[in-house]
Amino acid sequence: MARFASEAELKAFLGKLDADYAEYAPALWHEGIKTPRQLANFTEPHYLACDVRRGHIDDIKARAGTTDTGEQADLKHILKQLLDAMEDNMTLARLVLRGQLRPVSSSASTKRQEEYRLQAIEYYYGSHADKSKIRCMVTGEEVDLKAITAGHIYRQGWPTGLLKVMGCRLYEPRNIILMQNQLEKRFDNWEWTIVPEGPDAFRIHVLSPHLLYPKGREQYVAGHDGKGTKWRDIDGTLLQLPMTARPARRLCGLHAMLAIQEAETKGWFDETHEAPKMSEASWQSPTFDHLLMDKYLNDAKEANMHMSDPDTHCL
């Protein structure tokens, strides 16, 4: 506390320093002691006049002088948050600049894939869901279970350490989208992505112009010629969420940010095909500090300027 509002608060403060010190509160309060700083600066003769034992004086003065007031604690907390956010930004920037967050295919054994898929089905559809037919969260088509894959948002080939920053674990269902098998490879390659627009809205964006505006034959999600869902059909639609469970917004936001950046590098956007817009909703969540992604590109540029010797910046 920055200032004791009553004798009781002073007594509580002294009691936290040592239970024996609480009895000094009435006399010290009578002498005008209202803050920890005053306790630290109070002279020995004044303490003795308040019947404080000589052996306790130095300890009270020393510990009161090093005890954070509420304002000091708040400032330290804010400073730590800022430093952590800066470090998280630099960590992410270094990973991207070194090519460690690149479009890569997931790799998992058939047994592990089955395990992830079933966990995700229970997470999104409930434990009593009919697993013989599953609705793809992207196309909305109801297909056989074998046609559905557990598509990881944060790739299995990416550094797992960054997930601590993101507040998630690699194999938890929030890092999985249940999608038709044909969608996963193009999701891994950042040809389409999911942009969070709020707690319950996740919009699908097809980034590759070759899927949206093919030269010649129309492109279908499942590869059918003349039937099925076209890539143009899902562009701009919302991810289909059957119940209350949601994917992790911060992970979808990370995937979208990297995918959009890659698409810009490849020149996929123009006047007729604009880059999706990302807002604060892409990062906000109860357990995630949005400063991690704030002004990302500027952080990445600054990080690049300080990476003349890669060996000195190992993560």
Side-chain angles (χ1 to χ4, degrees):
M1 59 193 68
R3 186 176 182 85
F4 308 124
S6 64
E7 180 183 318
E9 286 191 1
L10 172 58
K11 182 177 182 179
F13 179 84
L14 290 169
K16 288 180 181 179
L17 298 183
D18 191 292
D20 292 337
Y21 299 166
E23 64 179 280
Y24 303 140
L28 291 170
W29 180 261
H30 181 72
E31 289 298 316
I33 297 297
K34 299 293 190 294
T35 68
R37 184 185 295 275
Q38 289 175 328
L39 281 172
N41 294 332
F42 211 44
T43 65
E44 183 173 321
H46 285 91
Y47 271 113
L48 292 173
C50 293
D51 294 327
V52 177
R53 296 186 186 96
R54 190 181 298 274
H56 293 168
I57 295 174
D58 287 343
D59 186 50
I60 293 174
K61 287 168 62 69
R63 294 173 66 184
T66 58
T67 301
D68 286 335
T69 64
E71 291 177 352
Q72 290 170 330
D74 288 345
L75 287 174
K76 285 187 176 181
H77 178 67
I78 292 171
L79 179 60
K80 184 178 185 302
Q81 282 189 323
L82 290 173
L83 291 174
D84 287 348
M86 289 171 62
E87 179 58 31
D88 291 345
N89 269 334
M90 294 298 285
T91 298
L92 179 60
R94 290 179 189 134
L95 286 170
V96 175
L97 288 167
R98 292 187 194 191
Q100 294 186 50
L101 296 184
R102 302 296 300 165
V104 293
S105 297
S106 296
S107 57
S109 66
T110 302
K111 184 177 180 180
R112 297 294 297 275
Q113 173 65 226
E114 177 70 13
E115 179 184 345
Y116 309 148
R117 183 173 58 181
L118 291 177
Q119 289 175 354
I121 289 173
E122 290 193 5
Y123 175 71
Y124 287 112
Y125 288 90
S127 57
H128 301 295
D130 179 9
K131 298 181 178 61
S132 62
K133 291 281 188 179
I134 297 295
R135 189 175 299 279
C136 173
M137 294 170 62
V138 181
T139 66
E141 294 181 16
E142 193 173 74
V143 296
D144 292 337
L145 178 61
K146 63 182 180 181
I148 291 290
T149 190
H152 284 72
I153 306 167
Y154 188 96
R155 314 282 6 112
Q156 295 181 73
W158 289 352
T160 56
L162 183 58
L163 278 174
K164 293 180 181 180
V165 174
M166 308 302 289
C168 297
R169 290 176 289 111
L170 183 61
Y171 298 119
E172 66 177 301
R174 293 187 306 152
N175 186 38
I176 288 174
I177 303 295
L178 292 169
M179 61 181 72
Q180 290 171 255
N181 297 330
Q182 297 90 339
L183 286 160
E184 185 182 29
K185 182 178 179 181
R186 296 194 184 277
F187 187 65
D188 290 347
N189 290 336
W190 295 344
E191 295 180 70
W192 68 276
T193 192
I194 302 168
V195 176
E197 296 181 350
D200 302 312
F202 297 76
R203 195 167 300 280
I204 298 163
H205 289 275
V206 179
L207 305 179
S208 171
H210 307 294
L211 298 177
L212 288 173
Y213 313 108
K215 295 180 179 179
R217 183 173 297 178
E218 186 74 71
Q219 295 295 307
Y220 289 81
V221 170
H224 299 303
D225 188 7
K227 63 178 181 177
T229 303
K230 302 174 185 177
W231 284 99
R232 285 189 294 149
D233 294 336
I234 65 171
D235 182 44
T237 63
L238 292 175
L239 195 68
Q240 301 199 25
L241 303 167
M243 298 178 69
T244 58
R246 303 289 183 260
R249 264 185 288 167
R250 73 214 68 163
L251 296 183
C252 290
L254 175 65
H255 185 282
M257 182 192 70
L258 296 172
I260 292 169
Q261 181 178 311
E262 180 79 1
E264 288 174 339
T265 301
K266 291 181 177 179
W268 282 355
F269 301 126
D270 55 27
E271 295 81 3
T272 59
H273 181 40
E274 296 183 352
K277 306 297 182 185
M278 297 187 65
S279 68
E280 288 292 312
S282 300
W283 315 114
Q284 291 172 349
S285 68
T287 59
F288 180 64
D289 188 344
H290 73 279
L291 289 175
L292 173 63
M293 298 301 174
D294 193 31
K295 298 180 181 178
Y296 164 75
L297 292 178
N298 288 334
D299 291 333
K301 291 177 182 178
E302 186 174 338
N304 195 30
M305 293 171 60
H306 292 83
M307 290 176 61
S308 56
D309 183 2
D311 293 335
T312 64
H313 296 278
C314 292
L315 300 173

